[in-house]
Amino acid sequence: MLKGKNVLLGVTGSISAYKIANLASALVKLHAHVDVILTRNGAEFITPVTFETLTKNRCLTDTFDRSDVSEVKHIAVAERADVMLIAPASANCIAKLAHGIADDMLSTTFLAVKAPVLAAPAMNVNMFHNPAVQDNLKILESRGVTVIPPDSGMLACGAVGDGKLPSEQTLLDYILREIAKPKDMAGKKVLVTAGPTRESLDPVRFITNHSTGKMGYAVARQAMLRGADVTLVSGPVTIAPPPFVKVVNVQSAQEMFEAVAARFEGMDAVIMTAAVADYTPAETKTEKIKKSGDGADLALSLKRTTDILQWLGAHKKDGQRVCGFSMETENVLENSRAKLQKKNADMIAANSLKDTGSGFGTDTNHLTLITQSGVTDLPLLSKEQAADRLLDELNKL
Ligand code: CTP
């Protein structure tokens, strides 16, 4: 995922420096080239050998390094960086960066970096909230540095509050958002629906389906990585939401409809991956008992849910794109083409429930993308890759 990308990590003196070893390792596994600059205080907590073993690159410290006279080291790493992350960033380091002080390898290199810079402060809660630190962070933000807010919790000093270095995964998410993909969807507003809906029969029971939300969550994540402003309207699922995406949790088809309709204006595209229940009880079991008395025939009558995709197709304005999914057991193309017309959609992504590796709960999908102008049959792909191809086609419309 990060082949050909250069990540520059700056590590300062904090007990949380150990987390950066895991982060460096994760980046290497994603095929990034990783350079690490360790300050003198950072080296009290973690050794250069740790980073050199993990990254296979020399870890830059504040000693004079005569191993390669062919390049000026701090300028070379600054120039090749696609992103720089300073984590943990100590109060002292933040102050130096905010005021242009260049008295060590990290602060000197920072001044030469043209790529986006991320800084993750980590320190004692009172230090973090000290106006000097807060003002310095504001200076950095005003110059385009992204400050990653610290987590709250039990700190190494025993105090409880803001100041914890976020998890390795969170730091990685910030890096991925910066460099994983070209930002060809920057400025686009995209709404994705995902998961099943849940139609209550009574306070205990409900009707639902097998959707896990994986496909929709992958679409939301890929669109976010491509720079889109993404809102995810999700039915009940057990997977973690993608980072940097606004999540609206709903239960029933009616709630999903209301959440989508309320946000439709201003969206450039809506992608309905949700397996919306077609039917919901016309009245709940409790209502039926109240009306008919206990012991009466409790067979519930059903009513159709609002067809959200059809509503979107009927209400879309010029420039808005609407994409639906269709899960078929047979006549995939024919049925999906009919849905494209009936629901006035711009694209239907069809998958056959008979295909192995496709459908609910799998990590792969075989999609056929149907538009007014043609059919694109994709191979069996991971749901992330399939989501990317779907977005490619939707962007072309
Ligand atoms: N859909 C919707 N609202 C509904 C039902 C479905 O928006 N009440 C959307 C789904 O999210 C999907 C598309 O319509 O994007 C097609 O869903 P599907 O269940 O395959 O089609 P239906 O129109 O429900 O027809 P059928 O169940 O008969 O195949």
Side-chain angles (χ1 to χ4, degrees), residues 193 195 253 256 271-279 304-312 323-328 335 339 342-343 347-349:
T193 67
M256 184 169 280
I271 303 163
M272 289 286 310
T273 79
V276 186
D278 288 331
Y279 296 96
R304 277 205 93 97
T305 55
T306 307
D307 191 320
I308 307 170
L309 185 60
Q310 193 157 5
W311 185 92
L312 292 169
C323 170
F325 269 63
S326 86
M327 278 249 173
E328 304 293 339
N335 291 345
K339 271 177 204 168
K342 183 177 148 209
K343 305 197 185 201
M347 185 192 285
I348 293 286

PDB file of all heavy atoms in Angstrom, residues 193 195 253 256 271-279 304-312 323-328 335 339 342-343 347-349, ligand 1:
ATOM      1  N   THR A 193     -24.184   4.268   2.605  1.00  0.00           N
ATOM      2  CA  THR A 193     -24.961   3.525   3.603  1.00  0.00           C
ATOM      3  C   THR A 193     -24.396   2.109   3.679  1.00  0.00           C
ATOM      4  O   THR A 193     -23.869   1.600   2.682  1.00  0.00           O
ATOM      5  CB  THR A 193     -26.463   3.450   3.258  1.00  0.00           C
ATOM      6  OG1 THR A 193     -26.622   2.655   2.078  1.00  0.00           O
ATOM      7  CG2 THR A 193     -27.058   4.825   3.046  1.00  0.00           C
ATOM      8  N   GLY A 195     -24.447  -1.929   6.001  1.00  0.00           N
ATOM      9  CA  GLY A 195     -24.993  -2.815   7.023  1.00  0.00           C
ATOM     10  C   GLY A 195     -26.443  -3.193   6.758  1.00  0.00           C
ATOM     11  O   GLY A 195     -27.021  -2.822   5.730  1.00  0.00           O
ATOM     12  N   ALA A 253     -35.135   0.750   8.668  1.00  0.00           N
ATOM     13  CA  ALA A 253     -35.134   1.309   7.310  1.00  0.00           C
ATOM     14  C   ALA A 253     -35.630   2.755   7.342  1.00  0.00           C
ATOM     15  O   ALA A 253     -35.103   3.612   6.644  1.00  0.00           O
ATOM     16  CB  ALA A 253     -36.030   0.455   6.417  1.00  0.00           C
ATOM     17  N   MET A 256     -32.936   4.953   8.539  1.00  0.00           N
ATOM     18  CA  MET A 256     -31.914   5.115   7.487  1.00  0.00           C
ATOM     19  C   MET A 256     -32.410   6.105   6.430  1.00  0.00           C
ATOM     20  O   MET A 256     -31.676   6.987   5.997  1.00  0.00           O
ATOM     21  CB  MET A 256     -31.559   3.759   6.864  1.00  0.00           C
ATOM     22  CG  MET A 256     -30.446   3.873   5.843  1.00  0.00           C
ATOM     23  SD  MET A 256     -29.786   2.281   5.305  1.00  0.00           S
ATOM     24  CE  MET A 256     -28.686   1.859   6.628  1.00  0.00           C
ATOM     25  N   ILE A 271     -23.884   6.322  -2.168  1.00  0.00           N
ATOM     26  CA  ILE A 271     -23.663   4.920  -2.539  1.00  0.00           C
ATOM     27  C   ILE A 271     -24.403   4.056  -1.519  1.00  0.00           C
ATOM     28  O   ILE A 271     -24.038   4.020  -0.338  1.00  0.00           O
ATOM     29  CB  ILE A 271     -22.143   4.607  -2.551  1.00  0.00           C
ATOM     30  CG1 ILE A 271     -21.450   5.568  -3.530  1.00  0.00           C
ATOM     31  CG2 ILE A 271     -21.896   3.148  -2.945  1.00  0.00           C
ATOM     32  CD1 ILE A 271     -19.962   5.663  -3.368  1.00  0.00           C
ATOM     33  N   MET A 272     -25.475   3.419  -1.999  1.00  0.00           N
ATOM     34  CA  MET A 272     -26.339   2.622  -1.110  1.00  0.00           C
ATOM     35  C   MET A 272     -25.853   1.174  -1.098  1.00  0.00           C
ATOM     36  O   MET A 272     -26.280   0.369  -1.917  1.00  0.00           O
ATOM     37  CB  MET A 272     -27.782   2.635  -1.634  1.00  0.00           C
ATOM     38  CG  MET A 272     -28.549   3.938  -1.510  1.00  0.00           C
ATOM     39  SD  MET A 272     -29.102   4.349   0.149  1.00  0.00           S
ATOM     40  CE  MET A 272     -29.900   2.883   0.715  1.00  0.00           C
ATOM     41  N   THR A 273     -24.945   0.846  -0.186  1.00  0.00           N
ATOM     42  CA  THR A 273     -24.539  -0.564  -0.084  1.00  0.00           C
ATOM     43  C   THR A 273     -25.419  -1.306   0.925  1.00  0.00           C
ATOM     44  O   THR A 273     -25.335  -2.528   1.029  1.00  0.00           O
ATOM     45  CB  THR A 273     -23.061  -0.732   0.349  1.00  0.00           C
ATOM     46  OG1 THR A 273     -22.972  -0.534   1.751  1.00  0.00           O
ATOM     47  CG2 THR A 273     -22.142   0.233  -0.358  1.00  0.00           C
ATOM     48  N   ALA A 274     -26.225  -0.566   1.696  1.00  0.00           N
ATOM     49  CA  ALA A 274     -26.984  -1.188   2.786  1.00  0.00           C
ATOM     50  C   ALA A 274     -27.961  -2.235   2.265  1.00  0.00           C
ATOM     51  O   ALA A 274     -28.557  -2.070   1.195  1.00  0.00           O
ATOM     52  CB  ALA A 274     -27.751  -0.120   3.556  1.00  0.00           C
ATOM     53  N   ALA A 275     -28.094  -3.314   3.025  1.00  0.00           N
ATOM     54  CA  ALA A 275     -29.121  -4.315   2.727  1.00  0.00           C
ATOM     55  C   ALA A 275     -30.364  -3.897   3.509  1.00  0.00           C
ATOM     56  O   ALA A 275     -30.598  -4.349   4.634  1.00  0.00           O
ATOM     57  CB  ALA A 275     -28.643  -5.699   3.139  1.00  0.00           C
ATOM     58  N   VAL A 276     -31.106  -2.955   2.908  1.00  0.00           N
ATOM     59  CA  VAL A 276     -32.281  -2.395   3.588  1.00  0.00           C
ATOM     60  C   VAL A 276     -33.395  -3.441   3.551  1.00  0.00           C
ATOM     61  O   VAL A 276     -33.682  -4.005   2.485  1.00  0.00           O
ATOM     62  CB  VAL A 276     -32.769  -1.115   2.857  1.00  0.00           C
ATOM     63  CG1 VAL A 276     -33.889  -0.440   3.645  1.00  0.00           C
ATOM     64  CG2 VAL A 276     -31.624  -0.147   2.616  1.00  0.00           C
ATOM     65  N   ALA A 277     -34.019  -3.669   4.702  1.00  0.00           N
ATOM     66  CA  ALA A 277     -35.136  -4.626   4.719  1.00  0.00           C
ATOM     67  C   ALA A 277     -36.260  -4.090   3.856  1.00  0.00           C
ATOM     68  O   ALA A 277     -36.595  -2.905   3.926  1.00  0.00           O
ATOM     69  CB  ALA A 277     -35.626  -4.819   6.148  1.00  0.00           C
ATOM     70  N   ASP A 278     -36.825  -4.949   3.018  1.00  0.00           N
ATOM     71  CA  ASP A 278     -37.908  -4.499   2.135  1.00  0.00           C
ATOM     72  C   ASP A 278     -39.234  -4.349   2.882  1.00  0.00           C
ATOM     73  O   ASP A 278     -40.106  -3.613   2.457  1.00  0.00           O
ATOM     74  CB  ASP A 278     -38.097  -5.502   0.986  1.00  0.00           C
ATOM     75  CG  ASP A 278     -36.951  -5.429  -0.014  1.00  0.00           C
ATOM     76  OD1 ASP A 278     -36.364  -4.336  -0.142  1.00  0.00           O
ATOM     77  OD2 ASP A 278     -36.626  -6.449  -0.646  1.00  0.00           O
ATOM     78  N   TYR A 279     -39.343  -5.091   3.995  1.00  0.00           N
ATOM     79  CA  TYR A 279     -40.606  -5.075   4.752  1.00  0.00           C
ATOM     80  C   TYR A 279     -40.359  -4.802   6.219  1.00  0.00           C
ATOM     81  O   TYR A 279     -39.305  -5.154   6.767  1.00  0.00           O
ATOM     82  CB  TYR A 279     -41.332  -6.422   4.623  1.00  0.00           C
ATOM     83  CG  TYR A 279     -41.760  -6.705   3.210  1.00  0.00           C
ATOM     84  CD1 TYR A 279     -40.978  -7.488   2.365  1.00  0.00           C
ATOM     85  CD2 TYR A 279     -42.957  -6.166   2.724  1.00  0.00           C
ATOM     86  CE1 TYR A 279     -41.364  -7.725   1.056  1.00  0.00           C
ATOM     87  CE2 TYR A 279     -43.354  -6.405   1.411  1.00  0.00           C
ATOM     88  CZ  TYR A 279     -42.548  -7.185   0.583  1.00  0.00           C
ATOM     89  OH  TYR A 279     -42.940  -7.405  -0.706  1.00  0.00           O
ATOM     90  N   ARG A 304     -44.348  -2.330   3.200  1.00  0.00           N
ATOM     91  CA  ARG A 304     -43.074  -2.086   2.513  1.00  0.00           C
ATOM     92  C   ARG A 304     -42.368  -0.908   3.144  1.00  0.00           C
ATOM     93  O   ARG A 304     -43.007   0.053   3.589  1.00  0.00           O
ATOM     94  CB  ARG A 304     -43.327  -1.779   1.025  1.00  0.00           C
ATOM     95  CG  ARG A 304     -43.495  -3.032   0.179  1.00  0.00           C
ATOM     96  CD  ARG A 304     -43.132  -2.732  -1.273  1.00  0.00           C
ATOM     97  NE  ARG A 304     -41.750  -3.024  -1.543  1.00  0.00           N
ATOM     98  CZ  ARG A 304     -41.299  -4.139  -2.089  1.00  0.00           C
ATOM     99  NH1 ARG A 304     -42.135  -5.093  -2.434  1.00  0.00           N
ATOM    100  NH2 ARG A 304     -40.021  -4.316  -2.307  1.00  0.00           N
ATOM    101  N   THR A 305     -41.052  -0.986   3.172  1.00  0.00           N
ATOM    102  CA  THR A 305     -40.273   0.170   3.653  1.00  0.00           C
ATOM    103  C   THR A 305     -40.127   1.146   2.487  1.00  0.00           C
ATOM    104  O   THR A 305     -40.321   0.763   1.329  1.00  0.00           O
ATOM    105  CB  THR A 305     -38.869  -0.279   4.100  1.00  0.00           C
ATOM    106  OG1 THR A 305     -38.252  -0.983   3.011  1.00  0.00           O
ATOM    107  CG2 THR A 305     -38.935  -1.184   5.314  1.00  0.00           C
ATOM    108  N   THR A 306     -39.802   2.395   2.796  1.00  0.00           N
ATOM    109  CA  THR A 306     -39.543   3.367   1.716  1.00  0.00           C
ATOM    110  C   THR A 306     -38.322   2.884   0.947  1.00  0.00           C
ATOM    111  O   THR A 306     -37.307   2.521   1.550  1.00  0.00           O
ATOM    112  CB  THR A 306     -39.208   4.752   2.322  1.00  0.00           C
ATOM    113  OG1 THR A 306     -40.241   5.082   3.214  1.00  0.00           O
ATOM    114  CG2 THR A 306     -39.040   5.818   1.252  1.00  0.00           C
ATOM    115  N   ASP A 307     -38.417   2.870  -0.378  1.00  0.00           N
ATOM    116  CA  ASP A 307     -37.243   2.503  -1.172  1.00  0.00           C
ATOM    117  C   ASP A 307     -36.330   3.730  -1.249  1.00  0.00           C
ATOM    118  O   ASP A 307     -36.614   4.687  -1.980  1.00  0.00           O
ATOM    119  CB  ASP A 307     -37.666   2.038  -2.574  1.00  0.00           C
ATOM    120  CG  ASP A 307     -36.494   1.409  -3.311  1.00  0.00           C
ATOM    121  OD1 ASP A 307     -35.369   1.937  -3.192  1.00  0.00           O
ATOM    122  OD2 ASP A 307     -36.697   0.394  -3.997  1.00  0.00           O
ATOM    123  N   ILE A 308     -35.260   3.697  -0.459  1.00  0.00           N
ATOM    124  CA  ILE A 308     -34.393   4.883  -0.323  1.00  0.00           C
ATOM    125  C   ILE A 308     -33.715   5.204  -1.656  1.00  0.00           C
ATOM    126  O   ILE A 308     -33.665   6.352  -2.087  1.00  0.00           O
ATOM    127  CB  ILE A 308     -33.330   4.661   0.787  1.00  0.00           C
ATOM    128  CG1 ILE A 308     -34.020   4.227   2.087  1.00  0.00           C
ATOM    129  CG2 ILE A 308     -32.506   5.927   1.020  1.00  0.00           C
ATOM    130  CD1 ILE A 308     -33.074   3.748   3.173  1.00  0.00           C
ATOM    131  N   LEU A 309     -33.219   4.172  -2.328  1.00  0.00           N
ATOM    132  CA  LEU A 309     -32.523   4.381  -3.600  1.00  0.00           C
ATOM    133  C   LEU A 309     -33.463   4.999  -4.626  1.00  0.00           C
ATOM    134  O   LEU A 309     -33.086   5.927  -5.350  1.00  0.00           O
ATOM    135  CB  LEU A 309     -31.951   3.048  -4.102  1.00  0.00           C
ATOM    136  CG  LEU A 309     -31.094   3.103  -5.357  1.00  0.00           C
ATOM    137  CD1 LEU A 309     -29.872   3.995  -5.177  1.00  0.00           C
ATOM    138  CD2 LEU A 309     -30.629   1.690  -5.744  1.00  0.00           C
ATOM    139  N   GLN A 310     -34.673   4.495  -4.657  1.00  0.00           N
ATOM    140  CA  GLN A 310     -35.653   5.034  -5.615  1.00  0.00           C
ATOM    141  C   GLN A 310     -35.962   6.502  -5.294  1.00  0.00           C
ATOM    142  O   GLN A 310     -36.075   7.333  -6.186  1.00  0.00           O
ATOM    143  CB  GLN A 310     -36.932   4.192  -5.570  1.00  0.00           C
ATOM    144  CG  GLN A 310     -37.846   4.489  -6.728  1.00  0.00           C
ATOM    145  CD  GLN A 310     -38.789   3.322  -7.019  1.00  0.00           C
ATOM    146  OE1 GLN A 310     -38.834   2.328  -6.300  1.00  0.00           O
ATOM    147  NE2 GLN A 310     -39.545   3.445  -8.080  1.00  0.00           N
ATOM    148  N   TRP A 311     -36.079   6.797  -4.006  1.00  0.00           N
ATOM    149  CA  TRP A 311     -36.317   8.184  -3.583  1.00  0.00           C
ATOM    150  C   TRP A 311     -35.150   9.071  -4.027  1.00  0.00           C
ATOM    151  O   TRP A 311     -35.348  10.172  -4.537  1.00  0.00           O
ATOM    152  CB  TRP A 311     -36.483   8.219  -2.052  1.00  0.00           C
ATOM    153  CG  TRP A 311     -36.846   9.582  -1.532  1.00  0.00           C
ATOM    154  CD1 TRP A 311     -38.095  10.080  -1.327  1.00  0.00           C
ATOM    155  CD2 TRP A 311     -35.923  10.630  -1.164  1.00  0.00           C
ATOM    156  NE1 TRP A 311     -38.025  11.368  -0.855  1.00  0.00           N
ATOM    157  CE2 TRP A 311     -36.713  11.726  -0.746  1.00  0.00           C
ATOM    158  CE3 TRP A 311     -34.543  10.747  -1.150  1.00  0.00           C
ATOM    159  CZ2 TRP A 311     -36.140  12.933  -0.319  1.00  0.00           C
ATOM    160  CZ3 TRP A 311     -33.973  11.959  -0.722  1.00  0.00           C
ATOM    161  CH2 TRP A 311     -34.769  13.023  -0.318  1.00  0.00           C
ATOM    162  N   LEU A 312     -33.925   8.560  -3.859  1.00  0.00           N
ATOM    163  CA  LEU A 312     -32.737   9.337  -4.251  1.00  0.00           C
ATOM    164  C   LEU A 312     -32.748   9.577  -5.760  1.00  0.00           C
ATOM    165  O   LEU A 312     -32.478  10.686  -6.228  1.00  0.00           O
ATOM    166  CB  LEU A 312     -31.448   8.602  -3.852  1.00  0.00           C
ATOM    167  CG  LEU A 312     -31.176   8.487  -2.343  1.00  0.00           C
ATOM    168  CD1 LEU A 312     -30.035   7.511  -2.083  1.00  0.00           C
ATOM    169  CD2 LEU A 312     -30.845   9.853  -1.747  1.00  0.00           C
ATOM    170  N   CYS A 323     -25.647   5.562  -6.588  1.00  0.00           N
ATOM    171  CA  CYS A 323     -25.237   4.190  -6.917  1.00  0.00           C
ATOM    172  C   CYS A 323     -25.897   3.218  -5.942  1.00  0.00           C
ATOM    173  O   CYS A 323     -25.902   3.462  -4.735  1.00  0.00           O
ATOM    174  CB  CYS A 323     -23.709   4.107  -6.812  1.00  0.00           C
ATOM    175  SG  CYS A 323     -23.060   2.426  -6.909  1.00  0.00           S
ATOM    176  N   GLY A 324     -26.454   2.156  -6.469  1.00  0.00           N
ATOM    177  CA  GLY A 324     -27.059   1.140  -5.610  1.00  0.00           C
ATOM    178  C   GLY A 324     -26.336  -0.184  -5.755  1.00  0.00           C
ATOM    179  O   GLY A 324     -25.487  -0.355  -6.639  1.00  0.00           O
ATOM    180  N   PHE A 325     -26.647  -1.101  -4.885  1.00  0.00           N
ATOM    181  CA  PHE A 325     -26.113  -2.459  -4.978  1.00  0.00           C
ATOM    182  C   PHE A 325     -27.253  -3.405  -5.267  1.00  0.00           C
ATOM    183  O   PHE A 325     -28.403  -3.119  -4.918  1.00  0.00           O
ATOM    184  CB  PHE A 325     -25.426  -2.855  -3.654  1.00  0.00           C
ATOM    185  CG  PHE A 325     -23.962  -2.528  -3.643  1.00  0.00           C
ATOM    186  CD1 PHE A 325     -23.531  -1.215  -3.736  1.00  0.00           C
ATOM    187  CD2 PHE A 325     -23.014  -3.539  -3.554  1.00  0.00           C
ATOM    188  CE1 PHE A 325     -22.181  -0.905  -3.749  1.00  0.00           C
ATOM    189  CE2 PHE A 325     -21.661  -3.238  -3.570  1.00  0.00           C
ATOM    190  CZ  PHE A 325     -21.240  -1.931  -3.663  1.00  0.00           C
ATOM    191  N   SER A 326     -26.967  -4.511  -5.900  1.00  0.00           N
ATOM    192  CA  SER A 326     -28.027  -5.512  -5.986  1.00  0.00           C
ATOM    193  C   SER A 326     -27.434  -6.894  -5.738  1.00  0.00           C
ATOM    194  O   SER A 326     -26.370  -7.230  -6.249  1.00  0.00           O
ATOM    195  CB  SER A 326     -28.767  -5.420  -7.318  1.00  0.00           C
ATOM    196  OG  SER A 326     -28.132  -6.159  -8.303  1.00  0.00           O
ATOM    197  N   MET A 327     -28.119  -7.606  -4.893  1.00  0.00           N
ATOM    198  CA  MET A 327     -27.720  -8.974  -4.520  1.00  0.00           C
ATOM    199  C   MET A 327     -28.699  -9.899  -5.195  1.00  0.00           C
ATOM    200  O   MET A 327     -29.899  -9.842  -4.897  1.00  0.00           O
ATOM    201  CB  MET A 327     -27.909  -9.147  -3.021  1.00  0.00           C
ATOM    202  CG  MET A 327     -26.789  -8.614  -2.217  1.00  0.00           C
ATOM    203  SD  MET A 327     -25.966 -10.022  -1.515  1.00  0.00           S
ATOM    204  CE  MET A 327     -24.562  -9.263  -0.791  1.00  0.00           C
ATOM    205  N   GLU A 328     -28.222 -10.689  -6.097  1.00  0.00           N
ATOM    206  CA  GLU A 328     -29.149 -11.531  -6.849  1.00  0.00           C
ATOM    207  C   GLU A 328     -28.777 -13.000  -6.679  1.00  0.00           C
ATOM    208  O   GLU A 328     -27.614 -13.338  -6.445  1.00  0.00           O
ATOM    209  CB  GLU A 328     -29.088 -11.173  -8.342  1.00  0.00           C
ATOM    210  CG  GLU A 328     -29.369  -9.709  -8.644  1.00  0.00           C
ATOM    211  CD  GLU A 328     -30.792  -9.282  -8.350  1.00  0.00           C
ATOM    212  OE1 GLU A 328     -31.682 -10.156  -8.285  1.00  0.00           O
ATOM    213  OE2 GLU A 328     -31.026  -8.074  -8.163  1.00  0.00           O
ATOM    214  N   ASN A 335     -31.739  -8.501 -13.916  1.00  0.00           N
ATOM    215  CA  ASN A 335     -32.415  -7.898 -12.761  1.00  0.00           C
ATOM    216  C   ASN A 335     -31.757  -6.577 -12.353  1.00  0.00           C
ATOM    217  O   ASN A 335     -32.428  -5.634 -11.958  1.00  0.00           O
ATOM    218  CB  ASN A 335     -32.396  -8.855 -11.565  1.00  0.00           C
ATOM    219  CG  ASN A 335     -33.276 -10.062 -11.800  1.00  0.00           C
ATOM    220  OD1 ASN A 335     -34.101 -10.059 -12.721  1.00  0.00           O
ATOM    221  ND2 ASN A 335     -33.100 -11.103 -10.990  1.00  0.00           N
ATOM    222  N   LYS A 339     -33.224  -2.727 -12.203  1.00  0.00           N
ATOM    223  CA  LYS A 339     -33.146  -1.856 -11.005  1.00  0.00           C
ATOM    224  C   LYS A 339     -32.571  -0.495 -11.361  1.00  0.00           C
ATOM    225  O   LYS A 339     -32.997   0.531 -10.824  1.00  0.00           O
ATOM    226  CB  LYS A 339     -32.259  -2.515  -9.938  1.00  0.00           C
ATOM    227  CG  LYS A 339     -33.063  -3.412  -9.017  1.00  0.00           C
ATOM    228  CD  LYS A 339     -32.238  -4.131  -8.002  1.00  0.00           C
ATOM    229  CE  LYS A 339     -33.018  -5.376  -7.592  1.00  0.00           C
ATOM    230  NZ  LYS A 339     -32.246  -6.313  -6.815  1.00  0.00           N
ATOM    231  N   LYS A 342     -35.529   1.324 -13.022  1.00  0.00           N
ATOM    232  CA  LYS A 342     -36.656   1.560 -12.110  1.00  0.00           C
ATOM    233  C   LYS A 342     -36.302   2.612 -11.047  1.00  0.00           C
ATOM    234  O   LYS A 342     -37.121   3.452 -10.702  1.00  0.00           O
ATOM    235  CB  LYS A 342     -37.016   0.232 -11.432  1.00  0.00           C
ATOM    236  CG  LYS A 342     -38.213   0.298 -10.524  1.00  0.00           C
ATOM    237  CD  LYS A 342     -38.552  -1.086  -9.936  1.00  0.00           C
ATOM    238  CE  LYS A 342     -39.142  -0.928  -8.566  1.00  0.00           C
ATOM    239  NZ  LYS A 342     -38.899  -2.048  -7.688  1.00  0.00           N
ATOM    240  N   LYS A 343     -35.054   2.556 -10.571  1.00  0.00           N
ATOM    241  CA  LYS A 343     -34.678   3.450  -9.466  1.00  0.00           C
ATOM    242  C   LYS A 343     -33.945   4.695  -9.953  1.00  0.00           C
ATOM    243  O   LYS A 343     -33.476   5.490  -9.149  1.00  0.00           O
ATOM    244  CB  LYS A 343     -33.825   2.675  -8.449  1.00  0.00           C
ATOM    245  CG  LYS A 343     -34.527   1.403  -7.952  1.00  0.00           C
ATOM    246  CD  LYS A 343     -33.927   0.848  -6.697  1.00  0.00           C
ATOM    247  CE  LYS A 343     -34.592  -0.476  -6.323  1.00  0.00           C
ATOM    248  NZ  LYS A 343     -34.431  -0.837  -4.927  1.00  0.00           N
ATOM    249  N   MET A 347     -25.605   4.043 -11.309  1.00  0.00           N
ATOM    250  CA  MET A 347     -24.846   2.786 -11.362  1.00  0.00           C
ATOM    251  C   MET A 347     -25.463   1.769 -10.404  1.00  0.00           C
ATOM    252  O   MET A 347     -25.945   2.134  -9.332  1.00  0.00           O
ATOM    253  CB  MET A 347     -23.388   3.042 -10.942  1.00  0.00           C
ATOM    254  CG  MET A 347     -22.496   1.814 -11.072  1.00  0.00           C
ATOM    255  SD  MET A 347     -20.909   2.038 -10.270  1.00  0.00           S
ATOM    256  CE  MET A 347     -20.095   3.109 -11.398  1.00  0.00           C
ATOM    257  N   ILE A 348     -25.446   0.529 -10.821  1.00  0.00           N
ATOM    258  CA  ILE A 348     -25.792  -0.578  -9.915  1.00  0.00           C
ATOM    259  C   ILE A 348     -24.575  -1.497  -9.859  1.00  0.00           C
ATOM    260  O   ILE A 348     -24.035  -1.899 -10.897  1.00  0.00           O
ATOM    261  CB  ILE A 348     -27.021  -1.378 -10.409  1.00  0.00           C
ATOM    262  CG1 ILE A 348     -28.317  -0.534 -10.354  1.00  0.00           C
ATOM    263  CG2 ILE A 348     -27.199  -2.677  -9.604  1.00  0.00           C
ATOM    264  CD1 ILE A 348     -28.895  -0.288  -8.966  1.00  0.00           C
ATOM    265  N   ALA A 349     -24.131  -1.770  -8.633  1.00  0.00           N
ATOM    266  CA  ALA A 349     -23.041  -2.732  -8.452  1.00  0.00           C
ATOM    267  C   ALA A 349     -23.701  -4.057  -8.077  1.00  0.00           C
ATOM    268  O   ALA A 349     -24.305  -4.174  -7.004  1.00  0.00           O
ATOM    269  CB  ALA A 349     -22.107  -2.257  -7.343  1.00  0.00           C
TER     270      ALA A 349
HETATM  271  N1  CTP B   1     -32.811  -0.286  -1.273  1.00  0.00           N
HETATM  272  C1  CTP B   1     -33.241   0.883  -0.712  1.00  0.00           C
HETATM  273  N2  CTP B   1     -34.379   0.902   0.044  1.00  0.00           N
HETATM  274  C2  CTP B   1     -35.091  -0.216   0.234  1.00  0.00           C
HETATM  275  C3  CTP B   1     -34.665  -1.439  -0.351  1.00  0.00           C
HETATM  276  C4  CTP B   1     -33.498  -1.436  -1.098  1.00  0.00           C
HETATM  277  O1  CTP B   1     -32.580   1.910  -0.877  1.00  0.00           O
HETATM  278  N3  CTP B   1     -36.185  -0.162   0.979  1.00  0.00           N
HETATM  279  C5  CTP B   1     -31.580  -0.244  -2.066  1.00  0.00           C
HETATM  280  C6  CTP B   1     -30.462  -1.125  -1.557  1.00  0.00           C
HETATM  281  O2  CTP B   1     -29.623  -0.418  -0.652  1.00  0.00           O
HETATM  282  C7  CTP B   1     -29.703  -1.463  -2.829  1.00  0.00           C
HETATM  283  C8  CTP B   1     -30.781  -1.415  -3.904  1.00  0.00           C
HETATM  284  O3  CTP B   1     -31.889  -0.712  -3.348  1.00  0.00           O
HETATM  285  O4  CTP B   1     -28.740  -0.475  -3.107  1.00  0.00           O
HETATM  286  C9  CTP B   1     -31.256  -2.731  -4.387  1.00  0.00           C
HETATM  287  O5  CTP B   1     -31.689  -3.500  -3.309  1.00  0.00           O
HETATM  288  P1  CTP B   1     -32.312  -4.928  -3.514  1.00  0.00           P
HETATM  289  O6  CTP B   1     -32.785  -5.434  -2.178  1.00  0.00           O
HETATM  290  O7  CTP B   1     -31.365  -5.795  -4.295  1.00  0.00           O
HETATM  291  O8  CTP B   1     -33.492  -4.593  -4.466  1.00  0.00           O
HETATM  292  P2  CTP B   1     -34.983  -4.345  -4.189  1.00  0.00           P
HETATM  293  O9  CTP B   1     -35.353  -3.102  -4.882  1.00  0.00           O
HETATM  294  O10 CTP B   1     -35.266  -4.412  -2.745  1.00  0.00           O
HETATM  295  O11 CTP B   1     -35.654  -5.533  -4.975  1.00  0.00           O
HETATM  296  P3  CTP B   1     -35.635  -7.123  -4.644  1.00  0.00           P
HETATM  297  O12 CTP B   1     -35.471  -7.272  -3.154  1.00  0.00           O
HETATM  298  O13 CTP B   1     -36.954  -7.550  -5.151  1.00  0.00           O
HETATM  299  O14 CTP B   1     -34.490  -7.695  -5.441  1.00  0.00           O
END
